Amino acid sequence: MELLFLGTGAGVPAKERNVSSVALQLLGERGATWLFDCGEATQHQILHTAIRPRRIEHIFITHLHGDHLFGLPGLLGSRSFQSGETPLTVFGPKGIRSFVETALAVSGTKLRYELNIVEIDEGVIFDDERFSVIAKRLDHGMPSYGFRVVEKDLPGPLLVERLQALGVRPGPIYQEIKQGKTVVLDDGTVIDGREFVGPPQKGRIVAVLGDTRFCEAAIELARDADVVVHEATFAAAEQRLAHDYFHSTTTDAAEVARRAGAKRLILTHISSRYQGEAALQLVAEARSVFPNTELAVDFASFSIPRG
């Protein structure tokens, strides 16, 4: 599991930062990539990475402002020309269906794969045997959502050394034991599989939040998360400006992570006014509240280990 930032700027593209998009790489977990937001030129940013558009399984749009959305029609169209044939689902606020369908229809774009569009509300918006995704509405000038991605706990590892000590040789029986079944060996020995499996592996939690003021919904989404991705459009001294424009400061983001008991905070959606040393100061401000804070830049990647 890895976060790869494709665009970390706010509002408009800048020389050093493209507009919003972040990929959650789940190649080991499900052979897929999930995108969160798809600002203008996201597909161009992907060209500089190892991401394969045909592996993009889900795209989650936090809100319908252009810097989070305008790259979506182009990416959907290009995916057809890049061997993308598996289904893709776009999740987003009400209006996302009209936007996508109109853009594709007007441009005469034909997709070679099944496209599903889900207009979301608060609650569980995706759930399968490996992951669930919960959405909550944040505090922004238009409907804006945050997403909590929860990896479900995995079965504990098979205690192979203990089995080998009993003379149990590898084979199909190992799978039965790992499933916790009771098995009988050729010599009549009865083995309770539950005694030969380690404790479950705790699933990871990633919170990716859309544009927002400081709010309780953000804290709830970030609760005990391994990683929180939070906008930090403004420096701490611009608190009034951030509030007026429905955005967060560095210390707002850090306070969300602190109150949520999160393990790690990554700042993104940075205004172009902060370049060079000014950008480094943003990290220092957030770390004064929440020490384990990092600043995302375009193409930065962050692995998310277990435990």
Side-chain angles (χ1 to χ4, degrees):
M1 186 182 288
E2 175 188 34
L3 284 166
L4 174 57
F5 285 81
L6 300 170
T8 58
V12 297
K15 289 183 179 180
E16 295 183 356
R17 295 181 184 273
N18 196 50
V19 285
S20 293
S21 184
V22 57
L24 179 61
Q25 294 279 62
L26 300 171
L27 301 182
E29 292 77 12
R30 60 196 298 129
T33 296
W34 292 1
L35 283 188
F36 292 83
D37 286 332
C38 192
E40 180 182 350
T42 291
Q43 66 172 316
H44 294 262
Q45 298 290 87
I46 286 175
L47 294 174
H48 300 284
T49 73
I51 294 173
R52 304 218 183 274
R54 61 184 173 83
R55 289 187 179 271
I56 297 174
E57 179 185 33
H58 299 317
I59 301 177
F60 300 87
I61 301 298
T62 61
H63 64 295
L64 303 185
H65 277 151
D67 58 324
H68 297 254
L69 180 67
F70 284 163
L72 184 56
L75 176 60
L76 294 177
S78 295
R79 187 175 185 263
S80 280
F81 295 101
Q82 296 168 325
S83 303
E85 297 180 349
T86 55
L88 185 151
T89 303
V90 175
F91 299 86
K94 185 177 181 181
I96 188 67
R97 178 181 298 278
S98 175
F99 174 81
V100 171
E101 291 181 346
T102 300
L104 297 181
V106 170
S107 62
T109 302
K110 306 296 183 184
L111 304 183
R112 298 168 56 190
Y113 56 89
E114 177 186 345
L115 176 64
N116 302 299
I117 302 173
V118 178
E119 294 193 329
I120 63 173
D121 204 341
E122 292 191 311
V124 177
I125 61 171
F126 175 79
D127 185 68
D128 68 6
E129 69 279 358
R130 289 296 305 274
F131 288 89
S132 64
V133 180
I134 300 162
K136 278 188 174 293
R137 186 162 169 176
L138 304 173
D139 184 6
H140 194 49
M142 69 184 313
S144 179
Y145 288 84
F147 302 104
R148 178 180 175 89
V149 180
V150 180
E151 179 187 32
K152 296 180 180 179
D153 294 349
L154 297 176
L158 187 66
L159 304 178
V160 175
E161 292 182 358
R162 288 186 56 190
L163 289 171
Q164 292 177 340
L166 291 176
V168 183
R169 304 185 60 167
I173 194 172
Y174 271 30
Q175 186 62 33
E176 294 183 55
I177 294 172
K178 187 170 184 179
Q179 293 172 356
K181 296 179 179 179
T182 298
V183 299
V184 181
L185 304 181
D186 292 340
D187 63 3
T189 302
V190 177
I191 289 183
D192 183 348
R194 293 172 297 179
E195 298 177 0
F196 293 87
V197 178
Q201 296 177 290
K202 182 69 175 173
R204 291 158 288 187
I205 300 172
V206 179
V208 181
L209 309 180
D211 290 4
T212 185
R213 292 169 173 166
F214 178 85
C215 64
E216 286 298 322
I219 297 170
E220 293 173 19
L221 289 169
R223 185 77 61 198
D224 300 322
D226 292 88
V227 180
V228 178
V229 178
H230 198 298
E231 68 126 301
T233 309
F234 296 103
E238 303 288 356
Q239 183 66 60
R240 181 58 184 268
L241 189 62
H243 185 270
D244 289 347
Y245 283 92
F246 293 91
H247 283 294
S248 293
T249 66
T250 53
T251 50
D252 286 335
E255 186 65 16
V256 166
R258 188 189 71 80
R259 293 196 192 186
K263 296 178 183 177
R264 189 180 188 187
L265 171 65
I266 304 175
L267 304 178
T268 188
H269 201 268
I270 308 301
S271 170
S272 59
R273 70 180 63 194
Y274 305 109
Q275 305 285 340
E277 290 296 320
L280 297 179
Q281 181 60 33
L282 299 180
V283 185
E285 290 177 355
R287 286 177 177 168
S288 70
V289 176
F290 187 81
N292 195 13
T293 299
E294 297 170 86
L295 177 68
V297 296
D298 286 17
F299 307 118
S301 63
F302 302 85
S303 63
I304 308 171
R306 296 189 185 280

